[in-house]
Amino acid sequence: MEENKVSIRQYILNYGSLYGIISIVFSLMLFFLDMHYQNNPFQLVISLIIWATLIIIAFIAFKKDNEGFINLSECFKLGLGISLLGGLIGFLYFIILINFLDPEVLEKGFKYQSEIMRM
């Protein structure tokens, strides 16, 4: 079996950082709209669409650059790496959010959820 000339690492770095940046932009949009603590299903669906779209685009780009070949283990490594890097970038943004941008975000979330439960 021949060695792949295309490095998965480069795709993980490119698409993982792109995923993290797009997630931060989406989160900042929610922050400026004061919706960042509500956690409604619409936000979850949009986040999942962003995640799945970027991973599928990375699969297609990798397959194109690898002469039309990709196997399951490469897909798994690529998807996991992109998710981990994007999640790490998102986690760093969350730390900045709860420490500097809006220290009361957890209290707002608890109040919002208790109001929803009362209704």
Side-chain angles (χ1 to χ4, degrees):
M1 187 168 212
E2 67 182 54
E3 191 73 25
N4 285 343
K5 296 179 182 177
V6 180
S7 173
I8 292 178
R9 180 179 297 155
Q10 189 63 33
Y11 287 90
I12 290 172
L13 291 175
N14 288 341
Y15 288 97
S17 59
L18 182 63
Y19 171 55
I21 290 169
I22 291 173
S23 296
I24 288 174
V25 168
F26 181 66
S27 297
L28 283 173
M29 181 193 71
L30 293 174
F31 174 73
F32 290 127
L33 292 173
D34 201 31
M35 295 175 61
H36 60 287
Y37 57 88
Q38 294 178 0
N39 293 331
N40 61 20
F42 178 71
Q43 295 171 356
L44 177 65
V45 168
I46 296 297
S47 296
L48 287 175
I49 289 172
I50 292 169
W51 172 76
T53 303
L54 279 172
I55 288 182
I56 291 171
I57 290 171
F59 288 166
I60 292 169
F62 183 80
K63 182 177 178 182
K64 181 181 175 187
D65 292 341
N66 199 24
E67 300 173 357
F69 295 104
I70 191 168
N71 59 27
L72 186 60
S73 66
E74 291 171 335
C75 287
F76 183 72
K77 291 175 191 175
L78 194 57
L80 185 64
I82 291 170
S83 299
L84 286 175
L85 184 59
L88 180 65
I89 293 170
F91 177 72
L92 294 175
Y93 165 74
F94 181 72
I95 295 297
I96 292 170
L97 174 72
I98 63 173
N99 287 325
F100 302 110
L101 296 177
D102 191 9
E104 300 169 355
V105 70
L106 297 177
E107 295 171 11
K108 288 179 184 178
F110 291 141
K111 288 179 186 177
Y112 179 77
Q113 291 300 324
S114 64
E115 289 177 16
I116 295 292
M117 290 174 70
R118 285 185 198 147
M119 295 171 89

